[in-house]
Every structure is written in C-alpha cells, then in structure tokens.
Amino acid sequence: MRNKLGAIIRFHRKRSGLTQLDLAELAGVGKNLVYGLENGQESVRLENLLKVLRVLNIELDFQSPLKEAYLKEHTNADR
Amino acid sequence: MRNKLGAIIRFHRKRSGLTQLDLAELAGVGKNLVYGLENGQESVRLENLLKVLRVLNIELDFQSPLKEAYLKEHTNADR
DNA sequence: TGTTTTTTCCCTGTTTGACGGGAAAAATAT
DNA sequence: ATATTTTTCCCGTCAAACAGGGAAAAAACA
C-alpha cells in the first residue's frame, strides 16, 4: 500500500463488499482509475476522486488554523 | 463564488496577503489554475490542488462512518 | 487440487487539464 | 480622476489522465 488515501479507499471498498470493477462502475469511472487510486497514483482528477469517494460515503473536509474565522464569515451558504 | 472549496482557498489566500499570481508561483502552478480553483472549476488534478493547499496551510482529511474502524486497523504507519 | 474471481499491468486512442501569453475588465490605490 | 494592481477570460500548444480491451498473476473459493 503506497499511500494513505489509497489505503482508505481500499478499506472502504472491501467493507462495502465491492470489487474494483464494481466500484468503478458505480462511480462512473474506469477500472484503471480505481486501481491507480488504491495504489498511490497521486495524479488524479479531483472530479473523479470525488465520484469514487461519494460511492464509498467518504467525504473530504479541510483543516486549517483559519477555519474558525472562515466559518464565521460564511454563515450564509455560498453554494 | 461558485463553490465551497473555492471560497476557502480565496479566503485563505487573502488572509495571507497573496494575489492569485503570488499563490500560483509559490505553489508552482499556473495562474489560471488558481483562478479556476477559486471559481469552481471542479476538474483539477489532485496533485495541483494539494500544492496550492500546502502553501495556504490547509490540509484535507476524510470523514466517514468507518473512520474509527479504519484507524484501528492502521495503527502501524502504512506509508 | 482445480476453478472462479479479482487484481495487476500492459497497450492504444481520445479527452482534457495545465501552461504561458496577452488583453480587457474590475478593483484598489495615489 | 488617473495610475497601478489584480482578476477575469480569451487563445494555442503540450503533456497527461482517462476509458476500455486484453491477458497474466494473484487471491479466493470449491
């Protein structure tokens, strides 16, 4: 296992009882993309990574020292 | 502002007193990429997104119902 | 054991993001 | 108001991710 994200994805996939091919089809991406993700290919389109994470019910969020300040200024939804 | 991530990046960039061009140069990416990120272009290479976030001292992490279980099985560093 | 499933890793063509340059529009400063 | 900086958004070129096929290796299962 070459990287953290790959390990996370693989773990969640297996827990869901899916093969790489299953996951790829559910996410609407190619099988090689899933393989690459799990094996540490860092150069992936964010769009495709998110498709895969969505199927696995994983969500990304950010951490930073300014997070509090950011949230304070964005109570009103900007999306 | 079209998306959350873009807003976060812009907020952090301004707080750091950087222009889009400054940020691009510090991150080692093109100016148009920073512009695209802040304005909701979702199709960005993860690699490049991470470069930008690194400059802004923002880190991504994942959330999922299985996170606990995952961490339990990965106490020994897999990287 | 042999059989089936899954993963790994080729290959090829297509799509698309990344880049720098440039210039107009918008914002900021003097 | 005018000058300067910054942002927005064109463009053309290039590199790289993508999908899908295929087949060997590995793993799971009978």
Side-chain angles (χ1 to χ4, degrees):
Chain A
M1 205 73 63
R2 295 203 203 88
N3 75 109
K4 213 166 166 187
L5 185 60
I8 292 167
I9 290 174
R10 174 162 292 169
F11 178 83
H12 282 74
R13 175 176 62 78
K14 297 228 166 189
R15 278 295 186 101
S16 304
L18 299 173
T19 66
Q20 289 179 353
L21 192 58
D22 292 335
L23 177 52
E25 283 167 356
L26 286 170
V29 300
K31 67 190 196 318
N32 292 330
L33 188 138
V34 172
Y35 169 74
L37 267 181
E38 290 192 358
N39 290 280
Q41 183 194 11
E42 202 173 297
S43 29
V44 179
R45 268 182 226 155
L46 178 60
E47 199 181 4
N48 286 330
L49 171 61
L50 293 177
K51 284 183 190 171
V52 169
L53 295 184
R54 211 168 290 134
V55 171
L56 297 177
N57 202 24
I58 300 172
E59 65 179 48
L60 287 183
D61 66 277
F62 76 98
Q63 297 296 338
S64 90
L66 280 70
K67 186 172 182 180
E68 291 297 318
Y70 170 77
L71 292 175
K72 201 157 287 180
E73 287 192 17
H74 290 76
T75 45
N76 37 356
D78 52 75
R79 30 170 295 116
Chain B
M1 205 74 63
R2 293 203 205 90
N3 74 112
K4 212 167 168 189
L5 185 60
I8 292 167
I9 290 174
R10 174 163 291 170
F11 178 82
H12 281 74
R13 174 176 64 79
K14 298 230 166 186
R15 279 295 186 101
S16 306
L18 300 173
T19 66
Q20 289 179 353
L21 192 58
D22 292 335
L23 176 52
E25 284 168 355
L26 286 170
V29 300
K31 69 188 195 316
N32 292 330
L33 187 137
V34 172
Y35 169 73
L37 267 180
E38 291 190 357
N39 290 281
Q41 180 194 16
E42 202 173 297
S43 28
V44 177
R45 268 181 227 157
L46 176 60
E47 200 181 2
N48 287 331
L49 170 62
L50 293 178
K51 285 183 190 171
V52 171
L53 295 185
R54 209 167 293 135
V55 171
L56 297 176
N57 204 22
I58 300 172
E59 62 180 52
L60 287 184
D61 67 277
F62 76 98
Q63 297 295 339
S64 89
L66 282 68
K67 186 173 183 181
E68 292 296 318
Y70 169 76
L71 292 175
K72 202 158 286 181
E73 287 193 18
H74 291 74
T75 45
N76 38 356
D78 52 76
R79 27 172 294 118

